[in-house]
Each structure stands twice: as structure tokens, then as C-alpha cells.
Amino acid sequence: MTEVLYCNLCGTRVEHRIPDGDHLPRHLCPSCGHIQYFNPRVIVGCIPEWEDGRILMCRRNIEPRFGLWTFPAGFMELDETTAQGAARETLEESQADVEVGDMLAVINVPYVSQVYVVHRGRMRSAHHAPTPESSETRLMSESEIPWEQIAFPTVYHSLRFFFADRASGERRIHALDLAHRPRRPRDREVSTGDPPPV
Ligand code: ZN
């Protein structure tokens, strides 16, 4: 559980206990009664497709997984939809202007308390460029995807779903639960190219 010492409303030292009527320990303020809840975070992403069928990939310029490849994705902000968040992240990470389309995948990652929501997208122009978050942006065909250098299992599985659907002509919404934390994900992905464990 996230370590919190003080109430974020009044500054009193909090207690760590199960509130009446609840079933899990929370950070409870004995002075003002405020409870600080911690809930999973939503990560929104987009696979931007250019008109020639290539998709836009970004090389991470930030930790974690510095130097590995992903499609644009990031934490959803308050007051936006998943599609709006995916478009915003795409612009922030690659400068690309994307029309976000239908949903491709919802992936639960309980071992880091995250939910990934990934959309398909169409680039409105061919423009893309590096940003503070991406050292390199590149349009790639399926055969050019660096499967052994993908940043996260969620990205890997989403790309597999995307290309499988495109090959079959289906447009499904894929639901996946990643049950186990990869043991040594970076080593494993880089050295063997095996699919990340599910
Ligand atoms: Zn308080």
C-alpha cells in the first residue's frame, strides 16, 4: 500500500486501519475524518495508422524502459474520455495529429494496479517527430516492429491484437488480464524475443 503519513486536507498524522463498514485498511485522519483512497490508474493509448498501413511507434526517452519501443500511451487525466486522452498522449509523445477510432483492447495489470485502454487511430497527416518523451518516432510496417524491444507486455499484446485483427478483417475489442509480473521482463524480451508471460 502507498505509504502516506499525513492527511492531505488538514495535515494531521493519519491512522492506517479499516474504517467502520469497510473491508480494507485505509489512511484515515483521526482529526477531520478524511479517508485517502488509492485506486487503480487508467492508461490510455492509441495505435496510430498512416494511410499506407504503417503504424507510428515511439522510442521511450524516459524511464521506465528507456530506449524501448511503444505506441503513444500515458496516464488518463481528469475530465477526459479515453479517446481524448489517447489523442492527447499521441500529440505529446509524437507530435502526430490522430483521429482516435474504436477501442482495440482493455488490459488489466493488477500487479501494478493499472488498466490499459487502447484505441485504434488514423493519422490525419504524415507529420510526427521526437519529443521530450520520445527520442525517436518511426512509421513501421508489421515486419519492422521490434518485437524483442517492446517496452511493456501490454504494448506487445495490443500490437498482436491489432495486426491479427487487420489480417482477418475483424475489429474486436480484446479483453486480457495479465496475471503475473514478468520475472525479468527487460532481459527476457531483449534476449529471447519470447512473448511476455501472461
Ligand atoms: Zn484530516
Side-chain angles (χ1 to χ4, degrees), residues 70-108:
T70 180
F71 48 77
F75 290 111
M76 189 177 185
E77 298 284 6
L78 302 178
D79 302 320
E80 70 182 3
T81 66
T82 58
Q84 289 167 343
R88 175 184 52 73
E89 287 291 339
T90 302
L91 193 62
E92 289 175 3
E93 296 189 357
S94 70
Q95 291 190 24
D97 179 15
V98 72
E99 178 186 349
V100 175
D102 53 349
M103 202 174 281
L104 170 73
V106 177
I107 304 177
N108 287 296

Side-chain angles (χ1 to χ4, degrees), residues 19 24 36 45 55 63 90 125 138 144 148 156 163 171 184:
L24 290 173
Q36 293 188 54
I55 65 166
E63 294 290 355
T90 302
S125 80
R138 197 192 299 175
E144 292 169 324
E148 71 286 2
Y156 179 95
F163 288 117
R171 293 174 81 91
R184 299 175 64 191

Side-chain angles (χ1 to χ4, degrees), residues 18-36:
I18 302 176
D20 293 342
D22 206 339
H23 63 288
L24 290 173
R26 311 286 182 188
H27 294 100
L28 180 64
C29 177
S31 176
C32 75
H34 177 65
I35 301 173
Q36 293 188 54

Side-chain angles (χ1 to χ4, degrees), residues 24-197:
L24 290 173
R26 311 286 182 188
H27 294 100
L28 180 64
C29 177
S31 176
C32 75
H34 177 65
I35 301 173
Q36 293 188 54
Y37 291 97
F38 295 89
N39 299 100
R41 296 208 277 183
V42 179
I43 292 170
V44 288
C46 175
I47 300 182
E49 190 175 15
W50 177 232
E51 59 190 23
D52 63 3
R54 289 182 296 169
I55 65 166
L56 185 60
M57 294 288 286
C58 303
R59 189 167 206 151
R60 289 175 63 82
N61 197 37
I62 49 177
E63 294 290 355
R65 312 294 172 87
F66 180 94
L68 298 185
W69 290 88
T70 180
F71 48 77
F75 290 111
M76 189 177 185
E77 298 284 6
L78 302 178
D79 302 320
E80 70 182 3
T81 66
T82 58
Q84 289 167 343
R88 175 184 52 73
E89 287 291 339
T90 302
L91 193 62
E92 289 175 3
E93 296 189 357
S94 70
Q95 291 190 24
D97 179 15
V98 72
E99 178 186 349
V100 175
D102 53 349
M103 202 174 281
L104 170 73
V106 177
I107 304 177
N108 287 296
V109 198
Y111 53 81
V112 287
S113 296
Q114 294 177 351
V115 179
Y116 265 69
V117 178
V118 182
H119 287 259
R120 299 178 182 85
R122 292 215 161 265
M123 295 170 68
R124 290 193 177 96
S125 80
H127 176 72
H128 60 88
T131 64
E133 296 175 49
S134 306
S135 60
E136 186 180 352
T137 56
R138 197 192 299 175
L139 285 169
M140 296 181 181
S141 65
E142 182 175 0
S143 64
E144 292 169 324
I145 300 293
W147 294 106
E148 71 286 2
Q149 294 177 52
I150 297 298
F152 302 104
T154 47
V155 173
Y156 179 95
H157 289 291
S158 298
L159 289 169
R160 290 293 192 199
F161 292 147
F162 176 85
F163 288 117
D165 277 6
R166 207 169 66 172
S168 69
E170 290 180 285
R171 293 174 81 91
R172 298 171 49 206
I173 299 177
H174 301 262
L176 176 65
D177 294 342
L178 296 180
H180 304 292
R181 186 189 297 271
R183 269 192 168 172
R184 299 175 64 191
R186 184 163 181 156
D187 293 348
R188 181 183 175 87
E189 287 168 26
V190 169
S191 64
T192 69
D194 286 346

Side-chain angles (χ1 to χ4, degrees), residues 7-12 14 29-34:
C7 174
N8 60 0
L9 291 190
C10 75
T12 301
V14 294
C29 177
S31 176
C32 75
H34 177 65

